[in-house]
Amino acid sequence: MAEEVKKAPRPVDPNSAKYKLGKIAGDAYANAIEAKKAGKPVAWVSSNFPVEIPETLGLYTVYPENQAAGIAARGAGERMCNVAEADGYSNDICAYARISLAYAKLKECPEQDVAMPDVLLCCNNICNCMIKWYENLSQELGIPMIMLDIPFNPDYEPSRAIIDYVGAQFWDAVHKLEALFGIKWDDEKFKAVTEASCRSSRAWLEATAQAKYTPSPFNGFDLLNHMAVMVTARGKEEAGEAMETLLKEYKENHENGTSTFRAEEKYRVMFEGIACWPYLRATSRGLKDRGINMVTTIYADAFGFDYSSFDEMIAAYCSVPNAINLEKSRDKRIKLCKDNNVEGLLVHTNRSCKLWSGFMPEMSRQIGEACDIPVASFDGDQADPRNFSEAQYDTRVQGLMEIMESNKEA
Amino acid sequence: MVNELLKEFHEIAASPKAQMDRYLAEGRKVVLTAPVYTPEELIHSMGFVPFGAWGADTELKRAKEYCPAFLCSIVQSILELGMTDVYKGASAIVIPSLCDTLKTLGENWKYAVKDIPFIPMTYPQNRKPEFGMNFTIAGYERVKADLEKLGGTFSNEALAHSNEIYNRHNKAMRDLDEVLARHPEVGAAARSDVFKSAWFMDKAEHTELVEKLIDALKNQEAGEAKLPVLVSGILTDAPGLNEILDDLGMHIVADDVAAQSRQYRTDVPAGDDALKALAQKFSGMDNCSVLYNQEKPRIKWIADTAKARGAKGVIVVMTKFCDPEEFDYPLIKKACDAADIPVAIVEVDRQMEHYEQVRTNLETFRDILMM
């Protein structure tokens, strides 16, 4: 029998944002692997740890959340979760953590290999689960862990006390890393890194804001891929340049009446929660086939690290999505919905993320009321494929579409 | 005497609502304290009765309007009791944000239980350095300011006095734990009652009762030896669980339970500034799944304590969906295996009605330990 002939992928223009962003993300993994071989220190880093620290100190970095998402998207989430579960980890634990702990044991996974770490840089502004995950990595791998604690803020704005506390930890982390690896902090380099980080953030914010146009010049699922660079490399000069290219392309799409959403845009929704990486295609297709474009997500706001002083930088890290109270979280989303003419809210009730999902029913009710839009939710998981049902997803999306349709007719 | 006292503890532990109503009838103001650690000393010093709110074994109905099914049932049942007016009359609830689910409890509480104000207690995880201590103090200042709005008054002297009352209670509970390790005739259910009642009593009153029990036990000959075990977990007050431990002849010789001994391990140190001293207590706390420590000393503590107390095995009572405990379990198992201490894990939650699976699991564990 003849082998199936696969179509060769369309070559990507090396001047395009897609190429540049893909290269930055890929290079980050490859560079860390090469650095490790050369005996240079590698850090595993939480996604919202201040990138300014490892970047200024010249540490090579790997972002385990990003790695776990990649592994899950390439179909190995369940296999890796099974490894962790066989060691006694409950399947109730965050699937990113299970995948990462499995990788720490196996030290290989063809779906996304990474350099093994010499130090762990942990920040809990995304969740406290991160603390437990990194404590266990530290114990299992026998390497130091630096904990930058950014507590959940029950108030609307960060207090002076929290800025002082996190600011003190920032320098404490720097001094610990200097002592660990015999490296030196350089204020000039710090300045350059902060400028690069702000440049990337500004371009990202502006690019994602292009969804204000109808039709949107992009498919929101693009953001789920491009944000990898915002997570792992926003402090690099080339990230700013790539994000500016992305912005330019989106502006051109608008001017030319084109879009990366390859269907007629009939409805515009906000997607809430982390992507279902094992079912990215199914979740994307379920929307596209109905002409629903996911025009925005909280990620559009999440990486807006644009600041002009040290305290403002610390405040930005205290204000990331999972570190803020319901009212502030709600208001950010309401703004995104209104700015981008959103007609419906699709909520991923993510089995892996208790914090993100824990007050979502109340918050999404409030968003729905404030924006006068329907809300639908579906059960899923960011990386464990066992917690998602395509049939349920389809039914919920269909229901959402029907309400949006009748709203249009009214 | 011992049995009479145990009966009294049981009555208090079994009817928290009656306790709360009694304090309210006396004209005292009650402030609910959610898991895992709240600054009870501060609340007490400002004229309130701190009252433990760890939920209840109950069916979840109203809480489902707010919580996805995969949040732990302790937190969900706290919300359920709030929404169904069981906590009615309380002046406020203090909720610390030491785990992700507790963070969401405070946010949901604001909308679900509007007549009982939510007071957040934000602790630092880097609690030992000076910058961490300062942040703990800032967290206390926030609680203090909110309690002042409810009519509470703060003074350094009053807090120093409350610190002393709580230190004495801590000591009584530590002494009790040691004494109970030598008295197998006090079963798991009775032991649970003594610890649980502490949440629903003014601590000075509870200390008095516990000290009486310690004296009575010291004058009572120890009962026949049973199977010594160490129990670890967040909460182990379910009657269905304790009945099984008692039926199987297990004797809890030490516990690593958040609602029990973990509360009493650390005292407030001496110092002129009572609030700072209270922050020093928090910075000195450890050996707990919700308190960050890169070295994870809790793991070794469990194995070492099991050995020191002569436990033949460790029973991990896992509250379903409790991340912090679930992350620690594989390491506990590994450490106990290395120390030649058998480990059993049983999963519980506050909605459980049938404990047959737990019974089968623990029966097998008992048989292994007796071999």
Side-chain angles (χ1 to χ4, degrees), chain B residues 89-163:
Chain B
S91 298
I93 184 168
V94 177
I95 305 174
S97 51
L98 284 165
C99 80
D100 291 329
T101 306
L102 284 167
K103 295 173 191 173
T104 72
L105 174 62
E107 297 310 302
N108 283 325
W109 187 276
K110 287 183 282 192
Y111 298 95
V113 194
K114 288 185 176 154
D115 57 341
I116 301 177
F118 157 53
I119 301 178
M121 175 61 219
T122 309
Y123 285 110
Q125 285 291 349
N126 277 320
R127 60 200 177 278
K128 296 182 192 293
E130 196 182 346
F131 54 73
M133 292 247 299
N134 290 340
F135 191 68
T136 306
I137 291 170
Y140 293 158
E141 292 284 0
R142 166 68 194 272
V143 173
K144 189 180 112 190
D146 282 1
L147 290 176
E148 280 170 344
K149 286 180 210 157
L150 299 170
T153 50
F154 176 82
S155 79
N156 190 54
E157 294 69 34
L159 180 57
H161 181 59
S162 294
N163 287 346

Side-chain angles (χ1 to χ4, degrees), chain B residues 10 13 32 51 111 122 142 146 212 262 277 318:
Chain B
H10 175 72
L32 302 170
F51 201 88
Y111 298 95
T122 309
R142 166 68 194 272
D146 282 1
K212 273 189 201 167
R262 282 192 220 171
M318 185 62 72

Side-chain angles (χ1 to χ4, degrees), chain A residues 193-213:
Chain A
V193 169
T194 58
E195 280 165 8
S197 180
C198 290
R199 179 185 168 193
S200 305
S201 298
R202 280 193 299 272
W204 168 260
L205 286 173
E206 205 183 337
T208 57
Q210 299 307 303
K212 65 188 173 190
Y213 296 115

Side-chain angles (χ1 to χ4, degrees), chain A residues 172-316:
Chain A
D172 190 55
V174 168
H175 298 145
K176 280 179 178 155
L177 287 165
E178 284 180 324
L180 266 175
F181 300 113
I183 47 183
K184 251 349 247 177
W185 182 261
D186 177 338
D187 281 333
E188 284 305 309
K189 188 158 181 213
F190 177 46
K191 192 163 171 278
V193 169
T194 58
E195 280 165 8
S197 180
C198 290
R199 179 185 168 193
S200 305
S201 298
R202 280 193 299 272
W204 168 260
L205 286 173
E206 205 183 337
T208 57
Q210 299 307 303
K212 65 188 173 190
Y213 296 115
T214 304
S216 167
F218 63 88
N219 179 344
F221 275 79
D222 295 355
L223 304 183
L224 302 178
N225 289 321
H226 299 334
M227 73 173 208
V229 168
M230 288 308 291
V231 174
T232 63
R234 62 182 177 271
K236 293 185 194 298
E237 197 66 32
E238 55 269 34
E241 204 238 310
M243 286 300 163
E244 283 165 4
T245 308
L246 185 71
L247 169 62
K248 185 168 152 277
E249 287 177 4
Y250 286 172
K251 281 184 170 172
E252 283 170 2
N253 284 356
H254 168 61
E255 283 158 17
N256 300 333
T258 56
S259 173
T260 59
F261 183 69
R262 313 264 182 230
E264 184 195 347
E265 183 183 282
K266 293 183 192 161
Y267 311 97
R268 300 160 63 84
V269 298
M270 176 170 178
F271 182 89
E272 181 56 58
I274 300 175
C276 267
W277 291 111
Y279 294 98
L280 203 55
R281 189 170 296 170
T283 47
S284 169
R285 199 179 51 227
L287 296 180
K288 203 176 95 180
D289 288 353
R290 293 177 172 88
I292 302 172
N293 190 6
M294 181 260 269
V295 291
T296 193
T297 120
I298 193 63
Y299 291 127
D301 178 273
F303 299 106
F305 294 104
D306 188 14
Y307 48 80
S308 54
S309 70
F310 181 78
D311 280 1
E312 279 183 28
M313 176 186 75
I314 298 297

Side-chain angles (χ1 to χ4, degrees), chain B residues 32-40 51-56 72-79 87 93-106 109 118-121 123 199 233-235 237 257-260 262-263 282 285 288-291 319 322 350:
Chain B
L32 302 170
T33 57
V36 177
Y37 305 106
T38 53
E40 281 208 19
F51 201 88
W54 290 65
C72 93
S73 58
I74 297 176
V75 164
Q76 289 206 59
S77 71
I78 295 170
L79 197 64
Y87 292 138
I93 184 168
V94 177
I95 305 174
S97 51
L98 284 165
C99 80
D100 291 329
T101 306
L102 284 167
K103 295 173 191 173
T104 72
L105 174 62
W109 187 276
F118 157 53
I119 301 178
M121 175 61 219
Y123 285 110
W199 292 106
I234 292 288
L235 188 67
D237 68 349
V257 175
Q260 298 184 2
R262 282 192 220 171
Q263 297 291 326
F282 183 70
M285 286 169 68
C288 178
S289 56
V290 298
L291 301 176
T319 296
C322 178
R350 278 214 172 279

Side-chain angles (χ1 to χ4, degrees), chain B residues 325-359:
Chain B
E325 292 281 306
E326 287 171 347
F327 270 103
D328 280 1
Y329 172 69
L331 279 72
I332 294 171
K333 174 85 171 73
K334 205 191 267 187
C336 287
D337 284 353
D340 242 355
I341 305 165
V343 179
I345 181 167
V346 292
E347 202 172 59
V348 296
D349 82 40
R350 278 214 172 279
Q351 290 195 92
M352 252 165 94
E353 287 178 2
H354 305 293
Y355 284 79
E356 281 74 15
Q357 202 175 342
V358 173
R359 184 179 288 275

